[in-house]
Amino acid sequence: MTAVARHTVNMDRSFRLGPRKLIPWIVLITLDLLCDVSDGASQAEINKHLEIGRKFLSSGQYQDALTHYHAAIEGDNSNAVSYFSRGTVYLALGKANLALADFDKVLELKPDFAAARVQRSHILVKQARLDEAAEELDRVFAWEPHNPDAAHFRSLIDPARHDIALAEAFMRGRDYPAAVELITKILEICPWSSMLRELRAEAHTALGDSMAAISDIRSTTRLLSDNTAGFFKLSLLYYKLGQAPESLKEIRECLKLDPEHKDCFPHYKKVKKVEKQLNDAQEALQANDYKRCIDMSKKVLVSEPNVANIRFQAHDKLCQCYHKDDQITESLQSCQDALDIHMDARILCDRAEVYIASSMFDDAVRDYHKALDIEEDYQRAKEGIQRAQKLQKQAERRDYYKILGVSRNAGKQEIIKAYRKAAQKWHPDNFQQNESEKKIAEKKFIDIAAAKEVLTDPEKRQKYDNGEDPLDPESGQHNGFNPFQQFHQFHHGSPFQFKFHFN
């Protein structure tokens, strides 16, 4: 009996536990095979590499073992032992295709190498190549009718065939949950099957679970070499999720394998364009270049008319940039367009800020509450509610922005310009003929002065924007503000017969 035959009968438990548990058995069989090898100077060197490789293999140092098995094969490419040993290391590393290639070489050199055929059938079962596995096992049974390992693997094949057929029927019937459950069970027996993972990815996609689909397709790119279709699918899935950078990364992997791929190349051009436009819009927003932010976001909507998650990002940018550019109506519409795609707590708060800028405090409070429904502890929404309620009470008393006719985003120069215009219009000296009109003008004049006082002082304006009027006597922070002191000179003791200086 050959060394192979002597050890084939002892493989059952090791095979069932997987390739790492198979290592002790492989060490024994390699030792016996070395005893069968003829002597000679070159053969002695090969045996040395095999012996050192065996030691590294037994200690789990697979890369070092591979180095010596490579050297043994280079020394003699007709030695079945070297290929068998290297194939075992590849199998332990989960490199099924490389392991298969080595076992194929073993069987080319030594067709009756039963252990190699059992190993090969083991891999084929894991890959769900069940017909091929059955053929290999039939050859083993022809030599060893009672081989327990061959019997074990043969017992897995028919149930797996039945389950795969049933899973495919579930897919045709669109019973995707049942398909996912059954394929998951089959993958316990056939974990290296790219076909099954693609099938489950299809079911996950139909169920809307894109991340699970991505995980399965990712596995196929490792199981199959030159899997351009897998990288293309990954790119599409990421793009539909709105993750343009990840989509671009995957499509580039496809183009590395085939630079002119009929699907990957046009998709690459589109994703690259959209990703750049989104980046440009974000950079413009951060640089306070709101006109460019709006322009680039609009370009995204033109470039991508269909994929909702990409369009969501463009509407989100428009919501923010229109607001910063004081285009309230456009901002509200863009916020709504984004929320129609995805109800997002941050965007609800962004829209609430737009409502506040328009003095629509009830709407702002309502959006903040919606944000809390999505994220219960969202601090921005909690603080926003308090601020909006304060501003609403404040507006019922005196709204400095309305008094000067400026927006809440107005800069200091715009505020001063509005102040001068209003002060000239409502100066009390313009209303000397009518006592009632004069009293109205005096009141407006005081309010205009107060508005200028608060809105041109950064600290006071910040307090006011947070819902606190620093000139309200009830706040205790008005500090004796005299609305006439800054812009009049008295004549004949009358506080309203004066010339004024505009700051």
Side-chain angles (χ1 to χ4, degrees), residues 154-167:
R154 188 65 183 81
S155 71
L156 301 176
I157 291 175
D158 288 339
R161 280 174 174 158
H162 173 270
D163 286 345
I164 290 172
L166 183 56

Side-chain angles (χ1 to χ4, degrees), residues 113-353:
F113 202 137
R117 290 200 181 277
V118 173
Q119 282 266 44
R120 191 173 188 279
S121 69
H122 184 194
I123 295 173
L124 293 173
V125 168
K126 284 179 175 290
Q127 292 181 331
R129 295 164 62 181
L130 302 178
D131 292 341
E132 294 175 70
E135 290 177 5
E136 286 287 12
L137 293 171
D138 287 344
R139 292 189 182 97
V140 175
F141 288 135
W143 304 321
E144 302 175 12
H146 302 294
N147 185 302
D149 303 295
H152 168 68
F153 292 123
R154 188 65 183 81
S155 71
L156 301 176
I157 291 175
D158 288 339
R161 280 174 174 158
H162 173 270
D163 286 345
I164 290 172
L166 183 56
E168 290 172 339
F170 284 145
M171 290 296 293
R172 289 192 298 272
R174 299 184 180 181
D175 189 350
Y176 301 117
V180 168
E181 182 178 359
L182 184 54
I183 294 170
T184 301
K185 172 189 170 185
I186 303 168
L187 283 169
E188 294 177 6
I189 306 299
C190 310
W192 297 340
S193 170
S194 60
M195 176 273 293
L196 286 172
R197 292 191 181 276
E198 287 178 0
L199 195 65
R200 189 170 67 173
E202 184 182 342
H204 282 310
T205 301
L207 291 170
D209 191 347
S210 296
M211 294 310 299
I214 285 172
S215 178
D216 275 336
I217 297 298
R218 173 86 57 209
S219 295
T220 70
T221 63
R222 292 191 289 262
L223 292 169
L224 295 176
S225 60
D226 298 336
N227 189 3
T228 54
F231 287 116
F232 179 60
K233 289 178 183 177
L234 281 175
S235 183
L236 286 178
L237 285 167
Y238 275 121
Y239 189 70
K240 289 180 180 178
L241 287 173
Q243 299 181 28
E246 288 298 322
S247 177
L248 195 59
K249 177 182 175 182
E250 300 301 337
I251 209 66
R252 282 174 172 154
E253 291 299 317
C254 174
L255 293 176
K256 286 179 184 178
L257 299 171
D258 182 357
E260 298 181 359
H261 192 281
K262 65 181 181 66
D263 295 320
C264 293
F265 186 65
H267 186 61
Y268 165 75
K269 291 195 296 183
K270 178 178 181 178
V271 177
K272 184 179 180 182
K273 179 180 181 181
V274 168
E275 199 250 358
K276 184 179 186 306
Q277 290 168 342
L278 286 170
N279 282 341
D280 288 349
Q282 180 61 32
E283 289 173 3
L285 173 60
Q286 293 173 344
N288 300 329
D289 187 351
Y290 305 124
K291 299 291 187 185
R292 177 167 171 76
C293 173
I294 292 167
D295 180 55
M296 298 311 301
S297 298
K298 286 181 176 180
K299 287 183 177 180
V300 173
L301 295 175
V302 173
S303 299
E304 182 46 71
N306 299 314
V307 177
N309 286 321
I310 295 293
R311 294 178 66 80
F312 169 80
Q313 295 175 61
H315 289 308
D316 178 17
K317 295 290 187 299
L318 288 171
C319 170
Q320 298 177 66
C321 293
Y322 274 134
H323 178 205
K324 298 292 186 179
D325 200 46
D326 202 24
Q327 298 186 54
I328 301 302
T329 301
E330 292 82 356
S331 178
L332 288 173
Q333 182 59 56
S334 295
C335 293
Q336 185 60 54
D337 290 337
L339 293 168
D340 285 343
I341 296 171
H342 179 54
M343 191 59 63
D344 182 89
R346 179 186 59 77
I347 296 179
L348 282 165
C349 289
D350 286 346
R351 188 171 69 175
E353 294 292 329

Side-chain angles (χ1 to χ4, degrees), residues 33-99:
L33 285 166
L34 287 173
C35 295
D36 290 346
V37 174
S38 60
D39 295 328
S42 62
Q43 193 60 60
E45 188 67 24
I46 293 169
N47 288 351
K48 181 179 179 181
H49 282 300
L50 290 173
E51 173 62 18
I52 296 173
R54 177 192 64 78
K55 290 180 179 178
F56 281 129
L57 179 62
S58 64
S59 63
Q61 295 174 262
Y62 301 129
Q63 293 300 331
D64 291 326
L66 274 179
T67 298
H68 286 279
Y69 291 144
H70 289 327
I73 290 171
E74 288 176 3
D76 181 4
N77 62 6
S78 64
N79 189 334
V81 178
S82 302
Y83 286 106
F84 183 81
S85 301
R86 189 174 70 175
T88 301
V89 178
Y90 281 139
L91 184 57
L93 291 171
K95 298 181 178 181
N97 290 332
L98 292 174

